[in-house]
Amino acid sequence: MNIANRVCLITGGASGLGAATAKMALDAGARVVIADMNAPREGWAQAEWEGRWVHVKTDVSNEASGQAAVQMAMERFGRLDVLINAAGIASAEKILTKNGPASLEAFTRTITINLIGTFDAIRIAATAMSQNEPDEFGERGAIVNTASVAAED
């Protein structure tokens, strides 16, 4: 899919892989919604991107927050064409430590953000994309899920 003039929502788009992806999309001519708990850091004031991106504070583990991110895309840019799931966390913790077992709370938080948050973003974005008219290839949108090497740990 050519993303020029498309609207991309990028979870975790304020830093790391998500920020690099957002910048690539902007350079390719897309409009971008950065859905992240944190605001983008330096490098976002480029004149050629002016008016083509917006940040919405988003907690992917909260359904209403995810819906608000998609709503921002619809209100600001009139549609949603691409979802890129780049939000994720990793808690480096041994299963058994000198002080006892790993924290179930930390594991639950990781699963909630990385798995449930990804699924929730997919279902909410797909609902919005289903309203798009098909393009010349019959596509209404695209969804890309990312993972880091931390998934191997």
Side-chain angles (χ1 to χ4, degrees):
M1 170 183 280
N2 180 350
I3 63 171
N5 300 312
R6 303 285 184 149
V7 177
C8 302
L9 186 146
I10 304 174
T11 68
S15 64
L17 176 63
T21 303
K23 290 176 181 178
M24 182 272 318
L26 287 162
D27 286 341
R31 292 164 288 165
V32 174
V33 176
I34 297 169
D36 199 305
M37 291 291 292
N38 302 306
R41 296 183 199 129
E42 53 197 70
W44 290 94
Q46 296 185 27
E48 66 266 25
W49 295 346
E50 191 172 324
R52 294 194 10 244
W53 71 273
V54 63
H55 167 252
V56 58
K57 185 173 183 174
T58 306
D59 175 356
V60 296
S61 69
N62 178 284
E63 180 180 6
S65 189
Q67 289 172 335
V70 170
Q71 188 61 35
M72 174 62 80
M74 303 303 287
E75 290 173 5
R76 182 73 175 261
F77 301 119
R79 61 185 292 122
L80 178 61
D81 301 294
V82 178
L83 167 67
I84 300 169
N85 276 310
I89 63 168
S91 69
E93 190 173 16
K94 293 180 179 180
I95 297 296
L96 182 59
T97 70
K98 293 180 210 176
N99 301 321
S103 165
L104 184 58
E105 182 180 331
F107 179 76
T108 301
R109 182 172 181 264
T110 300
I111 293 299
T112 301
I113 291 170
N114 296 359
L115 182 60
I116 297 170
T118 297
F119 174 78
D120 196 37
I122 290 169
R123 70 183 193 87
I124 295 168
T127 301
M129 289 180 208
S130 73
Q131 303 304 308
N132 294 342
E133 287 295 321
D135 65 12
E136 64 272 17
F137 304 106
E139 297 174 342
R140 294 176 190 268
I143 297 172
V144 178
N145 295 317
T146 64
S148 78
V149 71
E152 300 293 324
D153 291 338

